[in-house]
Structure formats: structure tokens, C-alpha cells
Amino acid sequence: MVRPGRIVYHAAMEPQATKLICPVVCESLDGVRAELAAAARAGADLAEWRLDFLHDRPSADALRAVLGDAALGVIATCRPSRQGGRWAGSEAERLGLLADAGRWAAVPFVDVEDDVPQADWPVEPARVILSHHDFDRCPAELDAIFDRLDSSPAAVNKVAFACTNPADALRCCDLLARTSKPTIALAMGQAGAISRVAARAWGGFGTFALARPGASSAPGQPTLAELQETYRWADQHAGMDLFGVIGCPVGHSMSPAIHNAAFAATGLDALYVPLHIEPGREEFERFMQAATDRSGLRLRGLSVTIPHKEHALEWVGPDAVDDLARSIGAINTIVLTGEKPGGLNTDYAAAIDALCEAMGIGRDGLAGRSAAVLGAGGAARAIVAALADAGAGVTVYNRTASRAEALADEFGADAAGLDELAWLDAEIVINCTPVGMAPHVDASPLTPIPPSVKVVFDTIYNPLETKLLAEAARRGCVTVGGLAMFVNQAVAQFEAWTDRLAPRAIMQQVTVERLGRRA
Ligand code: NAP
């Protein structure tokens, strides 16, 4: 055992790859020991022990029990209540506790808030992480705050601030690009996720990640497994191309897993991140401006989902998209690899191609066939536009009849209410409602399936086989599930961004595997 007072510099102090730092926030010492062991097992490089979470001020024996044989290096932190922490005791006692913890060899760093005078720092500057937190906003004076940290004698700078748009999180990238020493720069909240998951590509000293979901010390922390499995942690380095998905919400999007797996499988130097952008055109445009202003970010393409598909089309401009995307009024893909931004609606092509492939026909083979589309939302809109464009005769059935009428009017289709489903007389049925989606797997939007129906396409992909599809299969119909559409749109995005053939089988495998985890 290494005795207090003898500083042994931990490997974690060497200037090397970005550290995975696991926060340990427990009220009991047993909990701390268990969490440290879990952090080490999960692959953390360092743990941050939040001493302020303990029920009682730890004695010398308690520190020995935790730090005497810690499984990994520990950053000692004791956040006072004035800085959003739980420490309610005196400042002298707090700094004394940090000094005691800092005597252990297992503690390479001690976190010291930037409002603590240097004369009171509990350990020598070479082991201080000088931190500034703002839990309310991205401070207007961020640059000045950072300059103060950076000019101090502390070994490591740390800034963490709340953010509501990923535009603010990009400020972390700016700070990391100009820092003179190891720096942790993180934006908190869902909108700040990019600063956490891309920390290695951006050259941060560390990022905080959890050994298991929950148990976080700040909003928006990913798990260690997510960083390693979904965000190419081992492959991340400076100069990677950046892609992402814009939406609200995007927290449960499978797109990062699918596209990062595709980049890895094709050996592309690219990273795909979630970009949570609140509803509203201004929010969307604020991010796009901030991202495209920074050439060093290497943003090359974006997936766009609800509620920003219309904003995306407005942003790229009507001339940047094809006729059908223009008439749909929405795109789900932005391409930033050319001289000018491009836009695509891979949703409609993905749906129509999945349908035609199952039917063994080309798009022109849809001409003159009759199709019933259930639903009049975003997915239905793209599919009705594409079916009408291919010359199919379409009837839109919707719960809210007026929405069915409005959609049908736009694309020369017929409209009906759900009460008219009993008289449905079409060859093809496409479900574009969430009826039958997990967890309501016993529901079906159309039962029984009328005799005219030969092909049933359910856009739902969770479950892979809905009740509607199971019934259709029993009746001998050709069936198409939402998985094919989902994978098709991702494949088309990948190919538009990279000009390469997408690894479809891997993308499908990752999608199925992720869906299995949700079940
Ligand atoms: P949306 O814009 O919210 O539209 C939902 C549509 O479903 C509306 O027409 C709505 O009718 C109708 N609806 C909702 N709940 C209903 C219920 N209980 N009974 C009957 N009708 C109901 O959603 P969206 O973006 O179009 O997505 C719709 C579905 O498409 C999703 O649930 C998803 O399963 C599927 N989808 C699949 C993919 C894929 O890649 N496979 C992609 C996108 C969407 P009202 O107008 O009356 O509200």
C-alpha cells in the first residue's frame, strides 16, 4: 500500500488520449468502493469521487479504505453548495478534506473551483483541475473565464456549462482548439451531447461517462458503453469528418449506432453525433450558422428528423432538392460535401423502393395500381407524394378526416375517414400510423384485411412483424416491414454523404440488434 504523503504520479497524468472519467456519487463508503470497482471494470481511465455526496465527512480511516487500494486513479472533488454541490460544511474543512484525499497516491488530481484563492489550493498546482461551472446557461463571458483558467498555474482547465442548443456546445470545440494546456470543456444537457461524445476527436483532456445509466453528476452524461460501442471512442482522433442527427428528441435515435457502425466498417474517418435542437426555425438556423461558420468542425452531413425537416428544406433552399422533395416540403438529409449545401428526402425513396422490391417491380410498375394509405402525418405525406408521382391511384384514410382531405387534395388522391375502412378496395395497403407499434403490439389499424388487398406495407419497425403484417402473411399477402424502409433511408444517406456503397448488411444488423435491446 502506498502511504499518504508520498505522491506517486499516476499514468493518468501523462499527456495522452482523452480520459474516460466516471463520476462516483454515493452517500456511503461501501457504495463508493463498489462504484470505483464498477468504473474500472467498465473501462474508465479515471474516476471522479464526489466527496460532497457522502453522508458523513470521511475520517482518515475511511479515506484509506477507499483510496488505499483504489482500482483506478481518482480525481478528488468536493463541490460546495455555492457551486451546485452538496457540501454544506465550512470552506476550511472542505479544503482540508481535499488535502487529505490528495495525499493518497491513487489521487493524481484534485478538482478546485475557480473561486478558491490560489493560496488556499489543497494540493500543488501541478495536480489541480481548476474548474468553472455554470448550471444555468452558456456564460456570455465564457472566453474571459477560460482565459483566466488557462493563465493559472493549474495543471488542467475545466469548464462545464448548461446549454440549450448544440451551437453553444461548439464553443467547447473552440476552447479546446486554442487552449495552452490539458482542458476539459463540456456542455451540459441533451443539447450538449456532442461535447461529451466527441471529446476525444476534439482533443479534450477528458469526458465524463457513467458505468451504468443513472448515477450521473451532471445532466447529459453518456455511459462508458455508449462511448465505446456507439461513438467510436477507440477510433476518435483530431480531423475526423463530422455527421449528426438533428431532431427533438434525438436521445433514443438509432442513427448514431447505425452510421458510426457503417463508418467503422468502411474504414471512414468519420463520427456521427446526436444534435438535440428544440422546435423552431430560429433554433435550427442558429445551429446551422454556428456549425457552418466553423470549417475546423468538418461537418459533412446531417440527418434531420421531427420537427426540423421543413426547416432543413428552407435552409438548403428549394433549388437544392428534387421535385418530389420540394412538393413534400421536407427533407431528412443535408449534404455538406459539395460547394453548396444539398438536400435529399431519402424517406420517400426508401419507402417506395422497399415496397417495389417486395413486389418485384420497378417504381414505374406502380402506375395504375390502387393503394390505400392509412394516416396523414409526415410519413404518409412522403409516401402519398411518391405513390402519386409513380402514377398509383391513392386513397388516404385518416382519423382526422380533414387532414386526409388536405393531403389528398395536394397530391391528387382521394380521402376517407377511418369509418370507411370497411369498404376499402385497394391492392396495396400502407400503414403510416403508429397503431400496432410497441408496446401496443396487439393493435392493428386494419382488421380484417379486405379481400382486394394483395400487398401490405407497415412502416412500423418495432416490432419487426406487427399484428397487421402477421395477419397479412396468414392471408397470403406480400408483406413489407418498416425495417426495410428504415435501413433504406440510412443507406441512401450514407451513400449521399460518402459517395461509397453503404455496408447495408451491417446497418441492418445494428438496427435489429438495437431494436432487440429495446424490446
Ligand atoms: P405523425 O406525423 O405524427 O402522423 C401520425 C399519423 O397517425 C396521423 O395521421 C395520425 O392521425 C395517425 N394516428 C396517430 N395515432 C392514431 C391512432 N391511435 N389511431 C389512428 N390513427 C392514429 O407521425 P409520422 O412521422 O407520420 O409517423 C407515423 C408512423 O410511421 C410512425 O409511428 C412510425 O411507425 C412510422 N415511420 C416509419 C419510418 C421508417 O423508417 N420505417 C419512418 C417514419 C415513420 P391524426 O391526423 O388524426 O392525428
Side-chain angles (χ1 to χ4, degrees), residues 375-379 398-400 403 432-435 459-461 482 485-486:
N398 195 44
R399 182 174 60 180
T400 308
R403 283 187 84 190
C432 298
T433 77
V435 179
T459 61
I460 291 172
Y461 52 77
M485 171 178 171
F486 187 77

Side-chain angles (χ1 to χ4, degrees), residues 187-514:
M188 293 181 277
Q190 294 184 71
I194 183 174
S195 67
R196 297 183 180 280
V197 303
R200 187 167 184 168
W202 289 1
F205 172 77
T207 193
F208 289 79
L210 310 172
R212 55 185 165 76
S216 74
S217 60
Q221 288 171 347
T223 63
L224 289 157
E226 276 173 319
L227 289 181
Q228 290 154 342
E229 292 169 18
T230 303
Y231 294 105
R232 310 195 65 188
W233 189 255
D235 295 339
Q236 278 191 32
H237 60 87
M240 291 177 100
D241 284 345
L242 185 71
F243 297 84
V245 52
I246 285 179
C248 180
V250 285
H252 290 95
S253 171
M254 289 190 290
S255 295
I258 295 166
H259 284 295
N260 280 323
F263 292 146
T266 48
L268 285 169
D269 247 3
L271 178 66
Y272 187 103
V273 299
L275 297 159
H276 176 106
I277 298 182
E278 291 291 319
R281 185 176 164 179
E282 305 74 34
E283 292 290 324
F284 178 85
E285 293 192 345
R286 185 156 99 79
F287 172 74
M288 292 308 294
Q289 186 69 48
T292 50
D293 277 351
R294 291 168 165 82
S295 58
L297 198 60
R298 303 182 66 84
L299 185 65
R300 299 289 182 257
L302 291 161
S303 308
V304 185
T305 183
I306 294 167
H308 292 296
K309 291 186 181 187
E310 290 83 3
H311 305 140
L313 175 51
E314 286 168 33
W315 188 80
V316 298
D319 295 340
V321 305
D322 67 25
D323 290 346
L324 210 46
R326 208 163 26 244
S327 61
I328 293 167
I331 55 171
N332 70 331
T333 311
I334 295 176
V335 182
L336 297 167
T337 47
E339 270 178 28
K340 286 183 182 171
L344 293 170
N345 186 318
T346 70
D347 285 334
Y348 82 74
I352 290 302
D353 292 346
L355 177 66
C356 289
E357 194 186 325
M359 292 174 70
I361 58 172
R363 285 189 197 178
D364 51 0
L366 289 168
R369 294 183 190 251
S370 57
V373 173
L374 316 183
R381 187 177 172 78
I383 289 175
V384 169
L387 287 170
D389 186 63
V394 182
T395 304
V396 181
Y397 293 80
N398 195 44
R399 182 174 60 180
T400 308
S402 57
R403 283 187 84 190
E405 280 158 22
L407 177 57
D409 277 357
E410 250 188 277
F411 296 103
D414 293 323
L418 294 184
D419 52 344
E420 293 170 79
L421 280 175
W423 291 277
L424 185 149
D425 183 26
E427 179 192 357
I428 303 166
V429 166
I430 306 178
N431 176 36
C432 298
T433 77
V435 179
M437 188 159 75
H440 307 292
V441 295
D442 290 330
S444 169
L446 182 67
T447 183
I449 294 171
S452 65
V453 178
K454 302 283 178 282
V455 182
V456 176
F457 175 11
D458 198 336
T459 61
I460 291 172
Y461 52 77
N462 185 16
L464 292 175
E465 187 183 56
T466 58
K467 185 173 181 197
L468 174 68
L469 286 183
E471 275 186 30
R474 272 198 298 278
R475 278 207 50 243
C477 297
V478 170
T479 58
V480 194
L483 178 68
M485 171 178 171
F486 187 77
V487 173
N488 279 356
Q489 58 84 27
V491 162
Q493 292 186 324
F494 180 96
E495 292 180 351
W497 292 328
T498 64
D499 234 358
R500 291 202 193 189
L501 207 59
R504 175 184 289 273
I506 284 171
M507 295 168 87
Q508 173 148 334
Q509 183 191 324
V510 171
T511 309
V512 171
E513 190 254 327
R514 294 283 160 150

